[in-house]
Amino acid sequence: MAKFSSLDYIIFISVSIFTIQHHSVQAGVSDRTVTCGSLIKLMNGHQGVRLHSHDVKYGTGSGQQSVTGSQDVDDLNSHWIVKAETGAFCHRGNPIKCGSTIRLQHLATSKNLHSHHFHAPLTRQYQEISAYGNSGEGDTGDHWIVMCERDNYWQRDHDVMFKHVDTGVYLAVTGQTYGRPIIGQNEIVGVESPHGRETQWAAKEGVYFHTSDFDPKKHLHAHTEL
């Protein structure tokens, strides 16, 4: 399978037109809804960082690709593709219902947001979060449940939590930061119970696909904020 670079993916989105079948109107679905196939950045408002990864491996624990929080708004290494769980398929543009199990594939390296029973590298009482797999294919450790406070569907700019299916931890950010070679980036961990804003994430910049709820002759369109 060919591997797309960040630029390839963005060009592919920009020039492609996808025809769709008519979908009935769904309560709570709008052009602010996060959808399958969308390319997004996730921000934790408490620390002001975006979920980030890069081809730098942990020196302890699993030794897998590290996941951090970055304050650099423009870094392409903070882009993630919203996908269905392993073995399932969701059509590009389908809204993500709260309570759904998803994968988040890192655009630049094609590895999935992942967790497992290893200690976090800096805050040892928490669980390690890594990026894992090859060309988007990993295992059940890549599965996360989207948990919303008040919505039926995952909405942009609304805080949600991500609960790891295999271990039950919640995706969180700590105030701890790394030294070289990823100096200043925040530690991302899994915590056993959601507390405060450390576990709250909002979908921000990205390329968001949507289907028309009203006109079956319309094409798939994308809202882009990179």
Side-chain angles (χ1 to χ4, degrees):
M1 182 180 295
K3 183 176 180 179
F4 287 95
S5 69
S6 301
L7 182 60
D8 290 334
Y9 193 89
I10 293 169
I11 293 173
F12 173 75
I13 291 169
S14 301
V15 302
S16 298
I17 299 176
F18 299 87
T19 57
I20 61 169
Q21 296 180 340
H22 177 65
H23 290 267
S24 60
V25 177
Q26 294 172 284
V29 176
S30 71
D31 63 0
R32 305 295 296 177
T33 303
V34 179
T35 59
C36 190
S38 291
L39 176 68
I40 68 173
K41 292 184 179 182
L42 289 168
M43 188 181 81
N44 179 275
H46 178 63
Q47 294 289 342
V49 297
R50 283 159 176 78
L51 190 69
H52 181 91
S53 192
H54 37 228
D55 192 16
V56 176
K57 293 179 171 57
Y58 288 123
T60 61
S62 68
Q64 293 175 3
Q65 182 171 299
S66 59
V67 173
T68 63
S70 173
Q71 295 182 355
D72 186 350
V73 176
D74 298 323
D75 195 328
L76 290 176
N77 279 324
S78 298
H79 281 116
W80 301 83
I81 304 168
V82 181
K83 301 177 69 174
E85 63 184 293
T86 303
F89 176 79
C90 59
H91 291 278
R92 184 177 285 111
N94 278 6
I96 302 296
K97 190 173 180 62
C98 296
S100 298
T101 299
I102 64 165
R103 286 176 293 163
L104 291 169
Q105 181 182 327
H106 189 240
L107 176 63
T109 62
S110 297
K111 295 184 182 296
N112 300 321
L113 186 69
H114 183 88
S115 195
H116 38 217
H117 292 294
F118 285 92
H119 293 298
L122 301 180
T123 313
R124 303 288 292 173
Q125 67 268 34
Y126 296 144
Q127 189 166 298
E128 181 190 277
I129 303 295
S130 66
Y132 173 77
N134 293 298
S135 301
E137 297 301 321
D139 58 28
T140 59
D142 306 334
H143 292 169
W144 299 85
I145 301 171
V146 181
M147 303 186 69
C148 315
E149 291 185 1
R150 61 184 184 277
D151 300 308
N152 292 324
Y153 292 87
W154 183 7
Q155 302 294 322
R156 292 173 58 184
D157 299 316
H158 289 194
D159 286 333
V160 301
M161 295 186 297
F162 297 99
K163 184 176 182 179
H164 191 241
V165 173
D166 280 359
T167 65
V169 299
Y170 295 82
L171 185 69
V173 60
T174 74
Q176 300 292 321
T177 57
Y178 290 101
R180 295 183 182 276
I182 48 177
I183 188 168
Q185 295 186 18
N186 284 69
E187 181 187 37
I188 300 296
V189 299
V191 298
E192 291 185 357
S193 60
H195 54 280
R197 298 180 62 201
E198 292 88 347
T199 56
Q200 295 180 348
W201 300 86
K204 294 292 184 180
E205 305 86 359
V207 180
Y208 293 82
F209 288 101
H210 298 283
T211 58
S212 170
D213 289 323
F214 305 104
D215 185 354
K217 295 181 181 180
K218 285 185 178 180
H219 296 292
L220 195 66
H221 60 280
H223 293 269
T224 306
E225 294 179 18
L226 298 176

